[in-house]
Amino acid sequence: MLSVAVFLPLFAGVVLLAVPRPRESLVAWTWVTVAGLDLALVIALWVYYPTAVGPGQGAVGAFAYEAHLRWIPSVGAGYHVGVDGLSLPLLAMTAVLFLACAVHSLRQRRRTRAHAVLFLFLQTVSLGLFSSLDLLLFFVFFDLSIVGMYFVIAGWGHGPAARSALQFFLYTFLGSLALLLGFIGLYLAADPHTFDIVELTRRPPLEGGGPAAGLILLAVALGLAIKTPTVPFHTWLPPAHTDAPAVGSAILAGVLLKMGTYGFVRVAMPILPGAWREYAMAFVVVGVVSVLYGALVALAQTDFKRMVAYTSVNHMGYILLGLGAAGLATADQARAAALAVTGSVTQMVSHGLLTGALFLLAGALHDRGGTYRMASYGGLAGTMPLLAAVTSVAAFGSLGLPGLSGFIAEFQIFTGSLSFVPVPTALAFLGILVTAALFLRALQQVFTGDFRIPEHARTGDLSARELVAIAPLTALSVVIGVFPRFLLDPIEPAARALVTLVVR
């Protein structure tokens, strides 16, 4: 069933390409139907997950719905997929976000078929990466995501979209080459040689660390850090987000950035535990710098979409802080380390939902006024109360207000990290204050005060289509914020198992 969920969107895309001159409405509704079916499959995977993985497990190395087929046996690479508590929530978040984008694109009238097929392709690539248990398979999906997003930005973006797409491609492709170099290093270090993630986790090559493990971790971390992105590898992000279409930005920030952070918990930490412990402080420092830099630069932005883009750098920094802090734990501190890892994975889900919603809302604002410049708007709450309400919930969730998913994630990261790195955690805490200031300033400027819109702008509130696409994302953030147990139940055992592999 997992492979069906992964490849159903790609299959539907191929069928759409084979249909001669399909109507635009047929293409759009086919995309929505397939995305809805795929979400139903992922929900079924979630519902039957405890039974599939066995009671009391759900941990790294105890995967459910595994499929293992021979692919390139001469190098020990196979089609090996499966899910655990680290990957299942990301699969669900991915399916929800792609369905939201499909609904949001129902009125897409610009090369509709190519647009839908590209997003169906990206959905298969994303689900495939989050379920990959083979390094070569992981790398293939990782690289294909770059290709798919390049065409989305170049084909449906605005402004200097071609230049931004090229910059995005070259920068992230360079990162993927570093990642491949690290994967080859892991393959050569393993005895017997293999790309199988389960085998490499069970018998980590270079387990004790050392120079060779450090160099391999450097290559893997460089590739993942560019994709995440963290400071100083974030420069491709603002232009890519600013010039991408709204649904492209939502998938780029909500799903594709998580490929980097997920790689840290799936590959870097469990397969190179010694090197992760040795260099954990470096990840903490990069995480804190990303938190503060991303927040301060976002505060200086006058463009709403660019501001949201920089908050992604800030939020990815929290994740790296939690994962780095876990690498400094001893066996006696495993509980706190597991809490930091659980918070980091929860943050991946929360950020995907909320930032996806914010980028779709930025698209709605641009559709009406033709600009993302915040000074061009004012007092919109009076004429667009739905836009104001949904944007406020997404912004408050993103700044970590209690009762929303961001609070659950950040509370766990800070509580778990404080024992190991009190000063960096305290500095990162300031990031929340700056994030709160920048979101409140944006809400105040756009939605309060005297009414102001660009000339020739439309003043209609969110349409039913936009509301159906965006509101569930913010509603899920509220559900996670109030009833987080259903999300934490699969994550916590996997986080504990990961920490067991990493701590001294």
Side-chain angles (χ1 to χ4, degrees):
M1 188 159 66
L2 176 60
S3 294
V4 174
V6 170
F7 288 102
L8 175 64
L10 181 62
F11 176 76
V14 172
V15 171
L16 278 178
L17 285 177
V19 175
R21 298 180 179 278
R23 294 196 311 275
E24 288 179 343
S25 59
L26 174 67
V27 171
W29 282 106
T30 300
W31 181 14
V32 171
T33 305
V34 170
L37 284 173
D38 217 38
L39 176 58
L41 284 171
V42 172
I43 291 173
L45 292 174
W46 190 302
V47 170
Y48 292 105
Y49 174 71
T51 308
V53 78
Q57 297 186 38
V60 173
F63 295 94
Y65 312 113
E66 275 191 87
H68 200 170
L69 303 173
R70 287 161 64 87
W71 179 30
I72 313 176
S74 57
V75 295
Y79 172 75
H80 191 183
V81 294
V83 296
D84 67 352
L86 300 178
S87 52
L88 189 59
L90 291 173
L91 252 68
M93 183 270 292
T94 299
V96 168
L97 205 51
F98 271 95
L99 177 58
C101 289
V103 174
H104 194 272
S105 302
L106 274 172
R107 291 183 63 188
Q108 163 66 239
R109 294 293 180 266
R110 187 178 163 199
R111 287 170 288 165
T112 308
R113 178 163 61 172
H115 184 261
V117 169
L118 260 179
F119 276 87
L120 289 166
F121 168 78
L122 275 171
Q123 185 166 356
T124 284
V125 166
S126 304
L127 294 173
L129 183 138
F130 292 133
S131 54
S132 291
L133 296 179
D134 183 278
L135 289 179
L136 208 53
L137 191 65
F138 183 100
F139 176 77
V140 168
F141 286 126
F142 191 92
D143 249 17
L144 289 177
S145 71
I146 300 171
V147 176
M149 187 50 67
Y150 166 79
F151 285 112
V152 168
I153 299 172
W156 287 267
H158 40 71
R163 188 179 64 185
S164 298
L166 184 63
Q167 183 181 355
F168 160 78
F169 184 90
L170 292 178
Y171 214 136
T172 51
F173 189 66
L174 178 67
S176 76
L177 293 180
L179 189 67
L180 179 61
L181 195 64
F183 285 179
I184 292 173
L186 286 172
Y187 169 79
L188 293 174
D191 186 20
H193 298 325
T194 182
F195 284 104
D196 192 281
I197 291 175
V198 177
E199 286 302 316
L200 290 168
T201 302
R202 193 171 295 150
R203 288 192 293 273
L206 308 169
E207 184 176 6
L215 287 173
I216 293 173
L217 178 62
L218 177 64
V220 171
L222 180 62
L224 298 175
I226 290 175
K227 188 80 168 185
T228 295
T230 63
V231 176
F233 308 113
H234 65 288
T235 51
W236 62 266
L237 184 74
H241 272 308
T242 304
D243 298 331
V247 288
S249 295
I251 295 302
L252 179 58
V255 179
L256 266 58
L257 302 193
K258 308 307 175 304
M259 294 179 177
T261 52
Y262 176 72
F264 283 113
V265 297
R266 175 58 70 221
V267 178
M269 293 177 74
I271 299 179
L272 291 162
W276 187 267
R277 287 193 296 269
E278 199 170 343
Y279 298 101
M281 185 53 82
F283 292 101
V284 168
V285 171
V286 171
V288 173
V289 171
S290 297
V291 165
L292 296 176
Y293 178 86
L296 290 171
V297 177
L299 183 64
Q301 300 305 307
T302 56
D303 180 299
F304 185 81
K305 204 178 184 191
R306 206 172 174 88
M307 180 197 76
V308 177
Y310 273 110
T311 62
S312 292
V313 178
N314 161 267
H315 284 88
M316 295 302 99
Y318 291 128
I319 295 172
L320 210 54
L321 166 66
L323 299 181
L328 297 169
T330 63
D332 295 336
Q333 300 168 313
R335 190 170 178 178
L339 187 62
V341 173
T342 301
S344 296
V345 178
T346 306
Q347 179 74 318
M348 295 183 207
V349 176
S350 172
H351 179 266
L353 296 172
L354 292 169
T355 304
L358 284 169
F359 276 120
L360 294 181
L361 289 161
L365 196 66
H366 188 273
D367 286 346
R368 284 153 180 79
T371 178
Y372 297 114
R373 190 168 170 268
M374 289 183 279
S376 300
Y377 303 94
L380 296 189
T383 54
M384 304 179 191
L386 289 175
L387 178 66
V390 179
T391 306
S392 298
V393 174
F396 284 129
S398 196
L399 64 86
L401 197 75
L404 295 159
S405 57
F407 174 78
I408 300 295
E410 289 167 15
F411 176 77
Q412 292 181 103
I413 291 172
F414 286 127
T415 307
S417 303
L418 203 58
S419 309
F420 317 115
V421 283
V423 174
T425 304
L427 289 173
F429 203 76
L430 296 175
I432 294 181
L433 189 65
V434 181
T435 308
L438 68 92
F439 273 119
L440 291 175
R441 187 200 59 165
L443 292 174
Q444 187 180 37
Q445 190 163 21
V446 175
F447 295 110
T448 63
D450 296 333
F451 181 72
R452 183 174 60 255
I453 56 171
E455 194 177 356
H456 307 305
R458 292 190 294 118
T459 56
D461 205 350
L462 286 179
S463 65
R465 169 186 58 86
E466 290 168 328
L467 197 61
V468 169
I470 303 170
L473 302 178
T474 52
L476 269 172
S477 175
V478 176
V479 171
I480 293 172
V482 179
F483 306 105
R485 202 65 260 164
F486 80 97
L487 176 64
L488 300 181
D489 276 346
I491 296 175
E492 284 176 346
R496 284 196 296 270
L498 178 61
V499 167
T500 303
L501 295 172
V502 173
V503 297
R504 296 176 180 86

